[in-house]
């Protein structure tokens, strides 16, 4: 790979700044690509400014996406990750990976209505074409044949329906639209210290704009993979709180709300067990967590803090037994909402050199 880039920033007018950036890359396996970005900001006065950006992006397939292989077996099922160029993956309908390309737009404003109040709002749209996903799920005799072509085998007696295989593929194109709003406000309480209040909220929605097909005409994205791309991430997230400082003491508290997520989970019991077409829709309800920290400046270079993330020890919703293999899995691993480890408590010592 070889690459070169250029970046130029200029003030077209005293209150108008424009930035240009361009990059050229050459890959030995996927060819040449050109990407660029144009950003602009105009400050009407010290109270109000607007800004916007237009850019495009490029991402070549990674070595892992092209060549990673793995097989997981148990007494009752087997699952294989096949390299996209392997005989087994080609038998299932795989084709060589193409690079991802994206087009991005963002626009927003900055508002300072008071000396101590700062507000920002940014809206964005990200369109990704030929997105590389771990898709194309197959099971039954097709999966067993693919494994055999790659020199792998499964234990005797396993139901063919419980044998599955998949590979990385340019499975879909997506469009993500969202908005970020942030605000900070400083309060001076005199001899009782100063507090910086802050709040931030994010709204995000991702949709599929195109779904690819394998060499046999089968969809490369099933309902489970579509949910992972579109609804496994919270549609909204809210954070608010404040940080207080008085002399050598400081403290902060923040409340965080994660919106709900929705997944399509594999059945491990019943008539749809191990199906790659029928899934259980599972909703992780919204969750609130609290983060706390109290600190003290021991010396000009040493700071000590005692704190907790998720002080209330909140957990995601528990999985029903039908979608928990042998009732071992407790939580939805597809969901990108609340972590699965509960509260985290710490004592931290910082050294500033």
């Amino acid at each position: 790979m070889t690459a070169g880039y250029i970046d130029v920033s200029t003030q077209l007018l005293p209150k108008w700044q424009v930035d240009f950036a361009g990059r050229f890359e050459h890959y030995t396996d996927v060819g040449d690509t050109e990407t660029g970005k144009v950003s602009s900001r105009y400050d009407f006065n010290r109270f109000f400014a607007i800004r916007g950006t237009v850019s495009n992006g490029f991402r070549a397939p990674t070595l892992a996406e092209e060549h990673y292989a793995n097989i997981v077996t148990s007494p009752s099922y087997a699952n294989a990750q096949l390299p996209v160029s392997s005989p087994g993956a080609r038998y299932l309908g795989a084709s060589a990976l193409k690079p991802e390309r994206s087009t991005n737009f963002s626009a927003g404003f900055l508002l300072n209505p008071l000396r101590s109040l700062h507000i920002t709002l940014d809206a964005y749209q990200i369109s990704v074409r030929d997105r590389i996903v771990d898709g194309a799920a197959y099971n039954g005799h097709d999966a067993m044949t693919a494994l055999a072509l790659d020199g792998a085998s499964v234990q005797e007696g396993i139901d063919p329906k419980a044998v599955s295989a998949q590979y990385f593929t340019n499975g879909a194109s997506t469009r993500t639209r969202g908005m970020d709003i942030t605000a900070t406000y400083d309060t001076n309480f005199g001899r009782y210290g100063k507090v910086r209040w802050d709040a931030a909220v994010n709204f995000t929605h991702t949709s599929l704009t195109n779904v690819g097909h394998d060499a046999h005409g089968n969809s490369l994205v099933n309902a489970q993979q579509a949910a992972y791309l579109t609804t496994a991430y919270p549609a909204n997230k809210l954070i608010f709180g404040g940080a207080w400082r008085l002399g050598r003491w400081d403290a902060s508290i923040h409340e965080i709300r994660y919106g709900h997520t929705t997944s399509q989970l594999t059945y491990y019991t019943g008539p749809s067990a191990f199906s790659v077409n029928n899934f259980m829709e599972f909703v992780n309800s919204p969750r609130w967590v609290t983060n706390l920290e109290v600190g003290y400046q021991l010396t000009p270079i040493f700071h000590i803090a005692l704190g907790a993330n998720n002080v209330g020890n909140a957990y995601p919703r528990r999985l029903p037994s039908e979608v928990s293999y042998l009732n071992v899995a407790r939580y939805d691993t597809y969901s990108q909402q609340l972590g699965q480890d509960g509260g985290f408590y710490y004592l931290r010592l910082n050294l500033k050199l």
Side-chain angles (χ1 to χ4, degrees), residues 238-307:
L238 170 66
I239 305 174
F240 63 91
W244 167 81
R245 181 174 295 276
L246 176 62
R248 294 189 176 189
W249 288 96
D250 60 87
S252 65
I253 178 171
H254 285 88
E255 195 73 15
I256 306 172
R257 182 191 183 275
Y258 297 93
H260 77 276
T261 63
T262 304
S263 298
Q264 301 287 333
L265 301 182
T266 301
Y267 284 99
Y268 293 104
T269 60
S272 295
F274 301 102
S275 172
V276 295
N277 298 303
N278 299 319
F279 306 99
M280 174 186 284
E281 183 173 279
F282 182 78
V283 178
N284 255 316
S285 306
R287 286 289 189 271
W288 289 88
V289 299
T290 303
N291 295 345
L292 293 169
E293 182 177 292
V294 177
Y296 185 76
Q297 192 73 43
L298 295 171
T299 72
I301 64 171
F302 284 104
H303 180 270
I304 190 170
L306 177 66

Side-chain angles (χ1 to χ4, degrees), residues 49-293:
I50 58 174
R51 60 189 177 190
T53 299
V54 178
S55 65
N56 68 323
F58 171 92
R59 188 179 77 85
T62 66
L63 290 175
E65 289 168 339
E66 291 186 307
H67 304 294
Y68 178 71
N70 184 46
I71 180 169
V72 177
T73 61
S74 79
S76 58
Y77 85 100
N79 174 260
Q81 180 73 42
L82 305 178
V84 68
S85 59
S86 70
R90 292 301 172 92
Y91 165 79
L92 294 174
S95 56
L97 291 177
K98 298 180 291 184
E100 295 179 345
R101 298 181 185 275
S102 65
T103 305
N104 316 295
F105 302 92
S106 67
F109 65 81
L110 299 85
L111 183 63
N112 304 307
L114 302 173
R115 182 181 297 273
S116 300
L117 177 60
H118 309 283
I119 301 171
T120 67
L121 184 150
D122 290 283
Y124 54 87
Q125 176 176 292
I126 304 169
S127 299
V128 183
R129 300 179 298 281
D130 297 322
R131 187 163 173 172
I132 298 174
V133 298
D134 191 9
Y138 306 83
N139 70 343
H141 293 290
D142 282 343
M144 296 186 72
T145 301
L147 265 65
L149 288 172
D150 280 7
S153 61
V154 299
Q155 296 183 28
E156 293 186 6
I158 293 182
D159 187 343
K161 293 189 299 182
V163 179
S164 61
Q166 58 194 73
Y167 51 83
F168 285 102
T169 178
N170 297 101
S173 297
T174 62
R175 181 179 61 211
T176 300
R177 289 174 171 169
M179 180 182 296
D180 294 325
I181 305 172
T182 67
T184 62
Y185 184 73
D186 296 324
T187 304
N188 191 337
F189 292 104
R191 62 174 181 164
Y192 298 108
K194 298 179 180 179
V195 176
R196 166 158 287 190
W197 309 98
D198 59 87
V201 62
N202 165 262
F203 302 96
T204 304
H205 175 72
T206 298
S207 58
L208 296 177
T209 56
N210 184 62
V211 173
H213 295 80
D214 65 19
H216 308 304
N218 302 309
S219 174
L220 290 171
V221 176
N222 61 21
Q224 185 176 75
Q225 294 145 348
Y228 180 73
L229 290 170
T230 60
T231 59
Y233 300 82
N236 52 74
K237 181 181 177 182
L238 170 66
I239 305 174
F240 63 91
W244 167 81
R245 181 174 295 276
L246 176 62
R248 294 189 176 189
W249 288 96
D250 60 87
S252 65
I253 178 171
H254 285 88
E255 195 73 15
I256 306 172
R257 182 191 183 275
Y258 297 93
H260 77 276
T261 63
T262 304
S263 298
Q264 301 287 333
L265 301 182
T266 301
Y267 284 99
Y268 293 104
T269 60
S272 295
F274 301 102
S275 172
V276 295
N277 298 303
N278 299 319
F279 306 99
M280 174 186 284
E281 183 173 279
F282 182 78
V283 178
N284 255 316
S285 306
R287 286 289 189 271
W288 289 88
V289 299
T290 303
N291 295 345
L292 293 169
E293 182 177 292

Side-chain angles (χ1 to χ4, degrees), residues 1-6 21-27 31-36:
M1 170 188 167
T2 57
Y5 69 92
I6 185 172
R23 184 178 181 90
F24 171 82
E25 295 171 291
H26 171 74
Y27 293 83
D32 300 337
T33 181
E34 300 84 26
T35 56

